[in-house]
Amino acid sequence: MLSRKNETKESIIEAALYLFQIKGYHATSVRDISNRAGVNSATISYYFKGKNGLMEYCFTSFLEEYLQLIEKHLGTIQSSGPAECLKNLVKEILHFQRKNYLAAKFVYSEISFDSSLNREILSTYWTKEKFYLQSLMETGIQEGVFKNISLPIFILQLKGLLSAPLLHAQYSMEVLYQFPREEYFTMKYLQELYDFIDIYILDVPKEYPLAFAGKEVVL
Amino acid sequence: MLSRKNETKESIIEAALYLFQIKGYHATSVRDISNRAGVNSATISYYFKGKNGLMEYCFTSFLEEYLQLIEKHLGTIQSSGPAECLKNLVKEILHFQRKNYLAAKFVYSEISFDSSLNREILSTYWTKEKFYLQSLMETGIQEGVFKNISLPIFILQLKGLLSAPLLHAQYSMEVLYQFPREEYFTMKYLQELYDFIDIYILDVPKEYPLAFAGKEVVL
């Protein structure tokens, strides 16, 4: 159970992320957030030292948890092998993004700007993430399980595929009638990412792509 | 050659897109834009009726040209067949995005918000785009050239891949050392998208993926 202090912090963050998604970060004022969260503006200053601090808190708490998730799954590479490890990782990331939908959407849309906070975050969190992904991919290539692909381009493609349901969320919902917050969508999308990995990275026989869908790949 | 009127408009748009990319749309004032463009604030009001009008102009001029490009290439489906048509389209879109880099980045990052302008644009431009992409894919499936994939998910994946160099631009440059504005990057990335289409959509024999790379696919 959350303590009252954590409850207040959570309600401020929830209100902020909701408003950022509608109006964008810059157009949202501390007063907007305090009104929606039902707290005093001073409470926001007390917990987060203003809007900038609140933004930093959203970024770092999301990214810390995200990196922990990657670290944890990379620990299983010895027991499960690189193919299953990559698939499990993709699955965990999609579920994590769905669970933290508004935070993920906020983080991904803000990091496209060329700001100093972003540069700081890029040089710490994202460099770490890249290091982990690269180690996983290199292990798979060395073991002859993955095809010998261009790693920076693959990482960019993978990030494009993983973030598409967040960054093209309005498009998904209003044009494609796909709902990224629904579990059903996440499962369907995950299946496609598995196929992408099977066909594009692994040497799964092309004649039987469906036989492998959703199953653990034995290599 | 641009007339003086168009030169002024262009310089205002250039200044605005530059500032939006650094500070974001909401944090950029009309005064910032007029200072950078070296024009009077009144000139911005005269041509665009303020910042909102300027934003709408950036959106619609980018999207009109983008849709014309898609329409034009869809006209070649009879002569070139769906596979070459899809590949040419992907190539044209990547080059168009590189040529209009800041505008593309701005449009893609703004449309992740749930605003009324976005809803209007989604219901017109993006619905049209989806209609075109869907027709192309359905033709390919009917002719037995494309695999029978889930179209909404494929369109979302394709959009994720096409927009990754824009939406993860800072990440590409500072973490992966890939530079999305360079022609060399675009060519390398295009090659990967061709491979993705070959392996994932077309039934190109898997034993010879490299034989097809960069060539027209004869089916």
Side-chain angles (χ1 to χ4, degrees):
Chain A
M1 239 180 75
L2 291 172
S3 66
R4 178 170 301 178
K5 181 187 155 188
N6 281 334
E7 256 177 46
T8 309
K9 278 181 93 171
E10 278 303 313
S11 69
I12 293 169
I13 290 166
E14 246 173 59
L17 289 174
Y18 176 81
L19 291 164
F20 294 163
Q21 117 131 337
I22 304 282
K23 308 170 75 167
Y25 171 75
H26 288 288
T28 302
S29 67
V30 170
R31 183 175 292 266
D32 293 337
I33 301 169
S34 63
N35 282 346
R36 194 178 161 86
V39 302
N40 200 296
S41 299
T43 315
I44 298 183
S45 304
Y46 173 74
Y47 283 126
F48 301 103
K49 303 197 172 70
K51 200 173 75 160
N52 224 10
L54 181 54
M55 183 202 213
E56 269 192 59
Y57 184 88
C58 291
F59 264 67
T60 50
S61 60
F62 177 85
L63 288 168
E64 298 263 347
E65 213 183 318
Y66 174 74
L67 274 182
Q68 273 168 20
L69 176 155
I70 296 189
E71 274 173 48
K72 202 187 110 201
H73 279 270
L74 241 69
T76 67
I77 193 168
Q78 293 300 333
S79 53
S80 60
E84 208 187 307
C85 185
L86 175 62
K87 285 191 170 183
N88 282 339
L89 187 60
V90 163
K91 179 178 160 188
E92 292 298 322
I93 292 174
L94 275 188
H95 283 300
F96 176 71
Q97 287 180 169
R98 192 179 79 87
K99 214 184 82 195
N100 300 281
Y101 182 74
L102 288 182
K105 216 160 164 277
F106 175 59
V107 167
Y108 279 111
S109 49
E110 282 300 317
I111 52 169
S112 67
F113 295 119
D114 184 13
S115 72
S116 61
L117 174 61
N118 282 337
R119 272 194 293 275
E120 212 176 285
I121 281 166
L122 285 162
S123 65
T124 50
Y125 295 102
W126 294 129
T127 302
K128 237 180 185 170
E129 182 218 34
K130 181 209 149 196
F131 171 76
Y132 289 135
L133 292 177
Q134 196 167 317
S135 319
L136 168 58
M137 296 309 295
E138 279 171 355
T139 307
I141 292 174
Q142 274 160 19
E143 293 187 8
V145 174
F146 295 165
K147 290 190 218 167
N148 192 11
I149 46 165
S150 158
L151 288 188
I153 297 272
F154 171 72
I155 291 173
L156 186 56
Q157 285 183 315
L158 188 65
K159 283 190 81 77
L161 290 173
L162 285 168
S163 62
L166 301 162
L167 290 171
H168 300 281
Q170 300 308 115
Y171 181 89
S172 301
M173 292 186 282
E174 302 199 23
V175 181
L176 301 173
Y177 314 119
Q178 301 292 313
F179 299 89
R181 288 185 89 158
E182 283 180 7
E183 197 173 350
Y184 173 72
F185 169 84
T186 302
M187 284 167 62
K188 215 165 95 181
Y189 196 72
L190 176 63
Q191 201 52 66
E192 294 296 319
L193 290 193
Y194 279 175
D195 285 355
F196 169 74
I197 292 170
D198 276 343
I199 301 175
Y200 196 72
I201 305 299
L202 300 176
D203 254 328
V204 172
K206 211 166 114 64
E207 290 77 11
Y208 315 106
L210 288 174
F212 288 86
K215 290 192 196 164
E216 292 170 9
V217 179
V218 184
L219 292 150
Chain B
M1 241 178 76
L2 291 171
S3 66
R4 180 170 300 178
K5 181 188 155 187
N6 280 335
E7 256 178 46
T8 309
K9 277 181 94 172
E10 278 303 313
S11 69
I12 292 169
I13 290 167
E14 247 173 59
L17 289 174
Y18 175 81
L19 292 164
F20 293 163
Q21 119 130 336
I22 304 282
K23 308 169 75 167
Y25 171 76
H26 288 287
T28 302
S29 68
V30 170
R31 182 176 292 265
D32 293 336
I33 301 169
S34 62
N35 282 345
R36 193 177 163 88
V39 302
N40 200 297
S41 298
T43 315
I44 299 183
S45 303
Y46 173 73
Y47 283 126
F48 301 104
K49 301 197 173 72
K51 200 173 76 161
N52 224 10
L54 182 54
M55 183 201 211
E56 269 191 60
Y57 183 88
C58 291
F59 264 69
T60 49
S61 61
F62 176 85
L63 289 168
E64 298 263 345
E65 214 184 315
Y66 174 74
L67 275 182
Q68 272 168 23
L69 177 153
I70 296 188
E71 274 172 46
K72 201 186 109 200
H73 280 269
L74 241 68
T76 68
I77 193 167
Q78 293 298 333
S79 53
S80 61
E84 209 187 307
C85 185
L86 175 62
K87 285 190 171 184
N88 283 340
L89 186 61
V90 163
K91 180 179 160 187
E92 292 297 322
I93 291 175
L94 276 189
H95 284 298
F96 177 72
Q97 286 179 169
R98 191 179 79 86
K99 215 184 81 197
N100 300 279
Y101 183 73
L102 288 182
K105 216 161 164 276
F106 175 59
V107 167
Y108 279 112
S109 49
E110 283 300 316
I111 53 169
S112 67
F113 295 120
D114 184 12
S115 71
S116 62
L117 174 62
N118 282 338
R119 271 194 294 274
E120 212 175 285
I121 281 166
L122 284 162
S123 66
T124 51
Y125 294 102
W126 294 129
T127 302
K128 238 181 184 170
E129 182 218 33
K130 181 210 150 195
F131 171 76
Y132 289 135
L133 291 177
Q134 197 167 318
S135 317
L136 168 58
M137 296 309 296
E138 279 170 356
T139 306
I141 292 173
Q142 273 160 20
E143 293 186 5
V145 175
F146 295 164
K147 291 189 217 165
N148 192 11
I149 47 164
S150 158
L151 287 188
I153 297 273
F154 172 72
I155 291 173
L156 186 56
Q157 286 183 315
L158 188 65
K159 284 189 80 75
L161 290 173
L162 285 168
S163 62
L166 302 162
L167 290 171
H168 300 282
Q170 301 307 115
Y171 181 89
S172 300
M173 293 187 281
E174 304 199 23
V175 181
L176 301 174
Y177 314 119
Q178 303 290 314
F179 299 89
R181 288 186 89 159
E182 283 179 8
E183 198 174 349
Y184 173 72
F185 170 83
T186 303
M187 284 166 61
K188 215 165 96 181
Y189 196 71
L190 176 64
Q191 201 51 68
E192 295 297 319
L193 291 194
Y194 279 175
D195 284 356
F196 169 75
I197 292 170
D198 275 344
I199 301 174
Y200 196 70
I201 306 299
L202 300 175
D203 254 329
V204 172
K206 209 167 116 66
E207 289 79 9
Y208 315 105
L210 288 174
F212 288 85
K215 289 191 197 167
E216 291 170 10
V217 180
V218 184
L219 293 151

